[in-house]
Amino acid sequence: MKNEKWSREFPEVPENVHQSVLNALARLDRQEAKKMKRRKKRTIVILAAAMVAVLGTTAAASGIFAWNERAQEVFEAEPKVQDQLVLDQVAQPGNQEVTDNGLTVRALQTLQDSYCFYALFEVTALDPDIRIDENCGMDYWRDCGKGEDPFSAMTWGFVGEKEQEVSNSRYFEIFGTKMEEGTEELNMDLHFTALTGPAFKAAEGEPLIEGNWDFSISLHPAEPVRHEVNRQYRIAGQDVQVFSVELSPLTMKIVCSGEDIRSLQTAQGVDFNQLDTLRPMLLQSIKYQDGTEIPEQMGMDLVEGFDGNGDYYKVIRMQHVIEPQKVSVLVFGDQRDEVELE
């Protein structure tokens, strides 16, 4: 498969946590079997054990799985948000490593929600004289089994020299955009077949090391926070009916009146068929209920267009990982027009 380059613009809860909760419940069952003398005492013990299990799970999350530093750079998130995404299965450790023909590929971390997917690997040549730079590549193919391939676009490559010095080891990233909101769990197999040398322009890099490095990744759907807005707002001086907004930690989807957006296009002299950008609909920032404002000027439009009903929809990958339940206002365009969600 050709190694495509891209612009920089663009957990399952660990088993030992599950087991800790199950063990706590098992102990409670044994205690109950011994017939406690007082029902009130039994209730207090159960509540206390439940609190310990919940608090212990939350506190242990970051210790069990600490985010990779590269993933933290790509998806900016506060430590407490990182922990919550681990518990919500949005962020997961790789926990897989394969060595073949003098090359080790290690899965470090994945992040995903209903529309966005990110996988981080580390590729290391056992020969220290092999230099892996950003122009090298990894040939691979993917298999989603019996399920349909959910991705409308995939980009991949080694990180740039600003992020990592050239050596025999380098981070390799895969970004995926799903065609539509994911609703089912899928298992995706990634089959790496070669480390290739530098590729420039349309030329393919020559294989440096060939082999087989196979990985299995689970794709979990993420439940977004949905707002049925159904209100009209002034955007760049035009009335735009906003029907709904869906927010997840990594992405946002907005649905508006197609007729109103076409009028806005005309007023702005924009033609989607010419790949023009509708600047008034570019997300500038989001505001939380407490007044905190998070800039999103570097967010990336993943999908934009008109659906079968003629409604306009747009999916954006956030620059920062957000807390969807706290968002109260979206700010769009150079005029900073606000869309209130409450």
Side-chain angles (χ1 to χ4, degrees), residues 113-116 177-181 250-254 300-305 312-318:
D113 64 6
S114 298
Y115 289 98
C116 180
T177 300
K178 298 178 184 178
M179 288 182 285
E180 55 187 24
E181 181 182 355
L250 306 180
T251 54
M252 181 203 78
K253 179 181 181 181
I254 186 169
M300 180 179 182
D301 292 351
L302 298 180
V303 182
E304 183 177 31
Y312 167 84
Y313 68 96
K314 180 177 189 175
V315 178
I316 300 168
R317 199 209 89 181
M318 301 291 191

Side-chain angles (χ1 to χ4, degrees), residues 7-28:
S7 168
R8 290 298 168 193
E9 290 179 1
F10 182 125
E12 191 155 282
V13 176
E15 180 61 29
N16 52 348
V17 175
H18 283 302
Q19 197 58 49
S20 296
V21 176
L22 293 176
N23 290 341
L25 294 175
R27 287 196 296 273
L28 289 177

Side-chain angles (χ1 to χ4, degrees), residues 247 252 278-286 294-299 301 314 316-319 329-333:
L247 294 161
M252 181 203 78
L278 188 59
R279 291 193 59 82
M281 292 303 298
L282 292 178
L283 183 65
Q284 295 295 317
S285 66
I286 64 170
I294 300 177
E296 286 294 340
Q297 292 94 333
M298 295 301 292
D301 292 351
K314 180 177 189 175
I316 300 168
R317 199 209 89 181
M318 301 291 191
Q319 176 188 2
V329 176
L330 306 175
V331 182
F332 288 95

Side-chain angles (χ1 to χ4, degrees), residues 137-155:
M138 287 292 292
D139 286 350
Y140 81 95
W141 56 280
R142 66 181 184 271
D143 179 11
C144 294
K146 296 181 180 179
E148 292 186 7
D149 189 334
F151 297 103
S152 59
M154 275 278 195
T155 53

Side-chain angles (χ1 to χ4, degrees), residues 122-125 130 132 158 164-171:
E122 185 175 49
V123 179
T124 303
I130 292 180
I132 305 175
F158 286 105
Q164 196 173 21
E165 294 182 359
V166 176
S167 72
N168 64 319
S169 183
R170 198 166 200 82
Y171 289 139

Side-chain angles (χ1 to χ4, degrees), residues 66-173:
W67 277 38
N68 177 273
E69 60 182 9
R70 173 58 186 167
Q72 293 180 48
E73 292 174 2
V74 177
F75 296 88
E76 302 172 23
E78 296 294 328
K80 66 174 183 178
V81 177
Q82 293 179 23
D83 292 347
Q84 188 59 51
L85 295 186
V86 174
L87 295 176
D88 292 343
Q89 304 182 34
V90 173
Q92 299 181 80
N95 291 338
Q96 299 175 68
E97 181 178 303
V98 181
T99 299
D100 188 21
N101 202 18
L103 188 74
T104 297
V105 180
R106 184 158 64 104
L108 299 178
Q109 184 172 344
T110 61
L111 278 90
Q112 57 195 304
D113 64 6
S114 298
Y115 289 98
C116 180
F117 170 80
Y118 171 80
L120 177 65
F121 297 85
E122 185 175 49
V123 179
T124 303
L126 301 186
D127 182 352
D129 292 331
I130 292 180
R131 316 301 283 174
I132 305 175
D133 64 26
E134 61 184 295
N135 294 308
C136 292
M138 287 292 292
D139 286 350
Y140 81 95
W141 56 280
R142 66 181 184 271
D143 179 11
C144 294
K146 296 181 180 179
E148 292 186 7
D149 189 334
F151 297 103
S152 59
M154 275 278 195
T155 53
W156 60 89
F158 286 105
V159 300
E161 292 184 20
K162 291 183 179 179
E163 290 78 25
Q164 196 173 21
E165 294 182 359
V166 176
S167 72
N168 64 319
S169 183
R170 198 166 200 82
Y171 289 139
F172 182 83
E173 299 173 308

Side-chain angles (χ1 to χ4, degrees), residues 32-49:
E32 186 176 4
K34 293 179 181 179
K35 295 183 179 180
M36 294 182 179
K37 294 181 180 180
R38 295 182 182 179
R39 186 172 184 82
K40 180 182 290 187
K41 179 179 179 181
R42 170 177 171 274
T43 302
I44 292 173
V45 170
I46 291 175
L47 289 174

